[in-house]
Amino acid sequence: LGGVNTAGYDFSVSTDGSFSGTGIDPPVSQYTHFSIQGVNLYRIPWQLMTPTLGGPIDEPFFARYNATVQAALVSSANAYVIADVHNYARWNGGIIGQGGPTNDQFINFWSQVAAKYAKNDRIIFGIMNEPHDMNSVPDWVDTVQAAVNAIRAAGAVSQYILMPGCSWSGAQALPTEAGPLLVNVTDPAGGTSKLLFDVHKYLDSDGSGTQADCVTNNIDVLTTLVEFLQSNGNRQAILSETGGGSTASCETNLNQELAYVKANSDTLIGFAIWAAGSFDTSYILSVTPKSDGTDQSLWSQAGK
């Protein structure tokens, strides 16, 4: 799987889980644009689905979100969509299952979303974007298990589920932090082949994905991750966020990173570049197509 994040519905969310707004719909024309080039993975984040904790889905918002999901799915016969809740394991500063929203409130939300997509095998459920600064890693793993159980109980029994660790889903942290506990999460549908690890890794100097230049190809980090996954039952992961600026250093380093991912596709089964969607072309990591329909240089070179 190879593709792109199409951001927009997550706009205005802060890393403490607070938000002020309803997001911006990603341009659906982008899905055809990218799918023609061979893209088969779209990650579509959002930050607001149940405005009241433990309450019902906001149906007008879901209608907007689902229209975008369907545009991505119909853009290619083999396109997958990662439905990604982008709240950093928080709600207005409180950590899910650790003094903030309860696990019951969290799984109520996931039960509703999973029921909406229970019959669509090309939806991948991204449990949570970038949990960070958790009070307890074991408690977070318990929350992940509760979400997996809720998704399956809602009738979504065949879809892939992405399990994030802590430390901003950092690929470098998973083998020694949450990974040794997440490998014990069970799937009520049977086996573990549909439970994938969700990792992120940028290429700039501090790994934040906020700078135009790249200083690493991340192969050392990804090699350690692959070794961990293979030694724990040949498990698999998706690199659901990576990327850089349209600079020569990023074109070189991202190319090398993605070549490694492709060479190890039995373990690292996909990647998604950050980001297109509602980002304009001035965003430092933008891969949004230009107004004349041509691509950013980073995207043109990615994976070549």
Side-chain angles (χ1 to χ4, degrees):
L1 298 172
V4 61
N5 286 264
T6 54
Y9 293 120
D10 55 311
F11 285 6
S12 85
V13 68
S14 298
T15 56
D16 68 353
S18 62
F19 45 85
S20 57
T22 58
I24 302 173
D25 300 35
V28 296
S29 60
Q30 289 186 15
Y31 298 111
T32 301
H33 175 90
F34 289 125
S35 288
I36 288 172
Q37 300 175 358
V39 164
N40 61 3
L41 181 65
Y42 296 102
R43 185 170 180 257
I44 307 178
W46 79 86
Q47 99 285 20
L48 180 63
M49 192 71 81
T50 53
T52 302
L53 281 176
I57 282 178
D58 180 336
E59 291 294 344
F61 179 86
F62 179 78
R64 290 172 55 200
Y65 181 80
N66 185 54
T68 303
V69 168
Q70 297 306 321
L73 291 174
V74 301
S75 69
S76 169
N78 64 345
Y80 283 77
V81 167
I82 299 173
D84 162 58
V85 58
H86 217 78
N87 279 70
Y88 304 92
R90 282 163 167 75
W91 177 282
N92 292 331
I95 301 173
I96 296 169
Q98 301 182 35
T102 65
N103 282 347
D104 284 346
Q105 289 171 324
F106 185 52
I107 67 173
N108 170 70
F109 149 75
W110 264 120
S111 294
Q112 295 181 71
V113 174
K116 295 282 192 182
Y117 291 118
K119 303 302 182 184
N120 195 324
D121 291 344
R122 290 195 285 142
I123 298 293
I124 300 172
F125 298 116
I127 286 177
M128 179 58 64
N129 178 71
E130 294 189 349
H132 65 91
D133 299 296
M134 310 300 281
N135 296 330
S136 166
V137 174
D139 285 350
W140 172 245
V141 174
D142 288 344
T143 298
V144 171
Q145 180 70 76
V148 169
N149 293 347
I151 289 168
R152 297 306 191 215
V157 296
S158 58
Q159 290 85 352
Y160 289 101
I161 299 174
L162 301 188
M163 304 188 302
C166 302
S167 297
W168 309 91
S169 299
Q172 76 285 349
L174 188 79
T176 58
E177 189 182 46
L181 298 177
L182 284 172
V183 295
N184 297 316
V185 172
T186 59
D187 189 344
T192 57
S193 63
K194 296 288 187 176
L195 301 182
L196 308 177
F197 295 89
D198 190 6
V199 297
H200 296 174
K201 190 62 181 169
Y202 287 95
L203 298 89
D204 52 358
S205 59
D206 61 0
S208 65
T210 60
Q211 300 168 77
D213 291 317
C214 297
V215 300
T216 178
N217 59 20
N218 289 326
I219 289 176
D220 55 345
V221 168
L222 295 177
T223 298
T224 300
L225 174 64
V226 167
E227 291 171 349
F228 167 77
L229 294 170
Q230 291 178 341
S231 66
N232 282 273
N234 289 319
R235 302 295 295 274
Q236 296 177 314
I238 285 181
L239 181 62
S240 66
E241 278 190 32
T242 190
S246 285
T247 60
S249 64
C250 290
E251 290 169 13
T252 296
N253 282 288
L254 184 65
N255 240 351
Q256 293 170 351
E257 178 191 68
L258 297 185
Y260 181 87
V261 171
K262 292 176 181 180
N264 290 273
S265 59
D266 287 348
T267 303
L268 303 174
I269 69 169
F271 65 88
I273 303 298
W274 187 270
S278 297
F279 281 118
D280 65 34
T281 55
S282 66
Y283 170 55
I284 198 164
L285 264 60
S286 176
V287 291
T288 298
K290 299 175 184 177
S291 59
D292 63 1
T294 60
D295 285 301
Q296 304 288 339
S297 62
L298 182 79
W299 182 264
S300 298
Q301 294 298 318
K304 297 292 178 64

